[in-house]
């Protein structure tokens, strides 16, 4: 009897669903389809979605629980004007009861229907990531990690923890069942540790492999890597600013010749300054400078020093007469090789004699001097 009632409980819902399909859409019962995917998000809402493969076919979704009447989706998810899913609120979700979905499509010429699909919604639950992760150091040189459960039914969740320090390349993972803490022993205070947690429904509340996403990371220790990244980011920032400034300066130099001369002055070429001296004034320096003759005359000295005339009588007047008589009549001392001639003002100026007379005068002067010493 028990096996009969069990068989009846399995066959009756399928029979009812096939009757609903035949009555509502005139569709014969066929093999169940798998093109609709239903996910219960953290027991707060559910989405049943399918792919739109192009064309003009737009599908409507019908659903029911067990032997209950079928209902059309109340809140469609659309893309480009076509239905691609249905949204269900929390009060429309019933777990541990067969849940059926059926799609009926239509275009301009015909109706296209899909076979019904069946779900057990307790196996379709995907939790949110755990929140409020906190890590604290313990007295035995370890770390204790705490977090909050994402769903009210904490006893139905299991967790996976992954941790890594800045000296490791691979994540270390650990499973945690029916508790919200994890202890990591013997940590190095000189290292920087990172922790993350994810969750899923355990085997006591459903059969699923739908893990949540990883939680936001929490850190502990010395973050040398973050400091290096900050320094590298700062260097990159300075480099970018310098390049932008250099580019703007080049643009300004190209557009403003005056600014270019101020920042980068031209090196003078002194050789070019003397071109007019030779090209326009034929090398006349005075003319090139533009200085008049009167100005040049003003620079000449007006001081004139008279010639100092010294006369000496020869000791022997006879010797003087031999060579033309005494020089006293001129009132000056004769120097061999020179003669004095008066200028227009009555002043005497030295005048050089010819070479032949010069040698004769030198000979007479030497002979006169020797005779004077012997006498």
């Amino acid at each position: 009897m028990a096996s009969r009632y069990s068989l009846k409980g399995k066959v009756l819902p399928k029979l009812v669903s096939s009757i609903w399909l035949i009555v509502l859409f005139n569709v014969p019962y066929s093999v169940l389809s798998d093109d609709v995917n239903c996910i219960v998000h953290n027991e707060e809402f559910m989405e049943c979605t399918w792919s739109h493969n192009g064309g003009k076919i737009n599908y409507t979704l019908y659903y029911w629980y067990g032997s209950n009447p079928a209902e059309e989706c109340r809140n469609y998810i659309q893309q480009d004007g076509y239905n691609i899913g249905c949204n269900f609120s929390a009060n429309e979700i019933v777990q541990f009861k067969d849940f059926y979905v059926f799609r009926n499509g239509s275009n301009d010429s015909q109706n296209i229907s899909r076979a019904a699909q069946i779900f057990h919604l307790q196996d379709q639950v995907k939790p949110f990531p755990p929140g409020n992760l906190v890590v604290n150091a313990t007295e035995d040189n370890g770390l204790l990690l705490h977090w909050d459960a994402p769903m009210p039914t904490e006893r139905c969740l299991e967790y996976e923890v992954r941790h890594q320090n800045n000296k490791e390349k691979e994540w270390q993972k650990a499973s945690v069942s029916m508790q919200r803490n994890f202890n990591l022993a013997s940590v190095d205070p000189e290292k920087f540790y990172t922790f993350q947690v994810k969750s899923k429904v355990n085997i006591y509340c459903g059969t699923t492999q739908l893990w949540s996403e990883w939680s936001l990371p929490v850190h502990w220790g010395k973050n040398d890597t973050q400091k290096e990244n900050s320094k590298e980011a700062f260097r990159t920032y300075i480099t970018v600013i310098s390049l932008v400034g250099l580019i703007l300066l080049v643009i300004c130099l190209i557009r403003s010749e005056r600014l270019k001369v101020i920042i980068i002055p031209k090196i003078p070429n002194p050789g070019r300054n003397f071109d007019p001296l030779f090209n326009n004034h034929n090398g006349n320096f005075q003319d090139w400078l533009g200085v008049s003759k009167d100005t040049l005359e003003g620079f000449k000295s007006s001081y004139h020093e008279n010639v100092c005339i010294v006369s000496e009588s020869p000791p022997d007047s006879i010797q003087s007469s031999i060579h033309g008589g005494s020089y006293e009549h001129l009132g000056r001392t004769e120097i061999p090789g020179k003669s004095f001639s008066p200028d227009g003002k009555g002043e005497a100026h030295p005048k050089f004699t010819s070479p032949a007379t010069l040698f004769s005068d030198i000979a007479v002067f030497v002979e006169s001097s020797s005779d004077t010493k012997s006498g």
Side-chain angles (χ1 to χ4, degrees):
M1 291 292 292
S3 62
R4 180 181 297 179
Y5 284 115
S6 176
L7 182 62
K8 181 180 178 181
K10 294 180 180 179
V11 174
L12 183 59
K14 294 183 179 180
L15 180 61
V16 172
S17 65
S18 64
I19 293 174
W20 277 116
L21 294 176
I22 294 172
V23 172
L24 293 177
F25 309 107
N26 194 24
V27 176
Y29 185 76
S30 61
V31 179
L32 296 180
S33 177
D34 61 353
D35 54 355
V36 177
N37 185 30
C38 293
I39 301 295
V40 180
H41 295 279
N42 209 61
E43 297 183 341
E44 297 180 6
F45 66 95
M46 178 174 67
E47 289 182 341
C48 292
T49 58
W50 58 88
S51 299
H52 178 71
N53 297 323
K56 297 183 179 180
I57 301 175
N58 198 15
Y59 287 97
T60 56
L61 183 75
Y62 294 85
Y63 69 94
W64 63 93
Y65 288 97
S67 58
N68 296 333
E71 299 180 31
E72 186 179 354
C73 173
R74 302 173 186 175
N75 187 14
Y76 282 105
I77 303 171
Q78 291 191 334
Q79 180 180 10
D80 299 330
Y82 292 93
N83 298 332
I84 62 169
C86 181
N87 239 320
F88 297 85
S89 61
N91 57 8
E92 295 177 297
I93 301 171
V94 179
Q95 297 187 32
F96 300 98
K97 196 171 185 179
D98 292 341
F99 175 71
Y100 293 89
V101 294
F102 168 76
R103 282 195 304 154
N104 181 44
S106 62
N107 55 19
D108 297 337
S109 59
Q110 61 179 345
N111 290 336
I112 300 175
S113 301
R114 299 287 183 179
Q117 291 180 241
I118 183 173
F119 293 95
H120 301 102
L121 297 184
Q122 69 273 11
D123 299 335
Q124 301 299 120
V125 178
K126 181 179 180 179
F128 289 160
N132 296 329
L133 274 67
V134 178
V135 58
N136 294 309
T138 60
E139 295 179 355
D140 56 352
N141 196 30
L143 294 176
L144 184 60
L145 176 68
H146 295 270
W147 61 87
D148 292 343
M151 291 178 8
T153 55
E154 296 183 23
R155 60 182 180 82
C156 288
L157 295 176
E158 63 178 277
Y159 305 94
E160 183 174 283
V161 179
R162 70 177 185 179
H163 57 89
Q164 183 186 42
N165 62 60
N166 57 340
K167 303 299 181 181
E168 296 174 339
K169 295 183 179 180
E170 300 294 333
W171 287 95
Q172 306 298 319
K173 296 181 179 181
S175 298
V176 179
S177 298
M178 301 182 69
Q179 58 184 6
R180 295 181 290 107
N181 58 75
F182 169 75
N183 186 27
L184 180 63
S186 301
V187 298
D188 186 352
E190 298 297 325
K191 294 180 181 179
F192 183 73
Y193 292 85
T194 302
F195 296 88
Q196 286 183 291
V197 184
K198 67 179 181 178
S199 61
K200 83 175 186 70
V201 174
N202 58 31
I203 58 175
Y204 302 105
C205 298
T207 304
T208 179
Q209 295 299 322
L210 295 174
W211 284 93
S212 72
E213 305 299 328
W214 286 105
S215 67
L216 295 176
V218 63
H219 308 286
W220 184 90
K222 294 185 177 181
N223 191 4
D224 295 334
T225 303
Q226 186 175 1
K227 292 180 180 178
E228 290 297 327
N229 293 338
S230 300
K231 292 180 180 179
E232 184 65 26
F234 179 74
R235 286 193 291 265
T236 303
Y237 175 78
I238 294 300
T239 303
V240 171
I241 293 299
S242 301
L243 289 176
V244 171
L246 182 60
I247 292 173
L248 293 177
L249 180 59
V250 171
I251 294 175
C252 291
L253 290 177
I254 294 175
R255 291 180 173 271
S256 177
E257 185 67 23
R258 182 177 180 181
L259 181 62
K260 181 179 178 181
V261 172
I262 294 174
I263 298 177
I264 308 176
K266 294 182 179 180
I267 299 175
N269 183 7
R272 303 293 296 266
N273 297 332
F274 293 96
D275 289 344
L277 173 63
F278 300 99
N279 297 334
N280 302 333
H281 301 280
N282 297 323
N284 188 332
F285 192 77
Q286 177 182 341
D287 190 18
W288 176 65
L289 289 178
V291 180
S292 62
K293 293 182 179 181
D294 295 337
T295 303
L296 291 178
E297 290 292 337
F299 285 101
K300 291 184 178 181
S301 177
S302 61
Y303 174 76
H304 179 71
E305 183 178 359
N306 296 325
V307 177
C308 181
I309 302 174
V310 180
S311 60
E312 181 179 359
S313 300
D316 191 355
S317 59
I318 299 175
Q319 294 292 336
S320 298
S321 60
I322 296 175
H323 299 283
S326 174
Y327 298 116
E328 294 179 359
H329 66 282
L330 294 177
R332 61 182 178 274
T333 302
E334 286 290 343
I335 299 174
K338 290 186 180 181
S339 61
F340 291 85
S341 60
D343 56 8
K345 298 179 181 180
E347 296 180 355
H349 295 280
K351 181 180 180 182
F352 289 97
T353 59
S354 64
T357 307
L358 174 62
F359 289 124
S360 176
D361 290 342
I362 291 173
V364 172
F365 180 77
V366 172
E367 181 180 356
S368 173
S369 298
S370 60
D371 293 340
T372 302
K373 291 181 181 180
S374 61

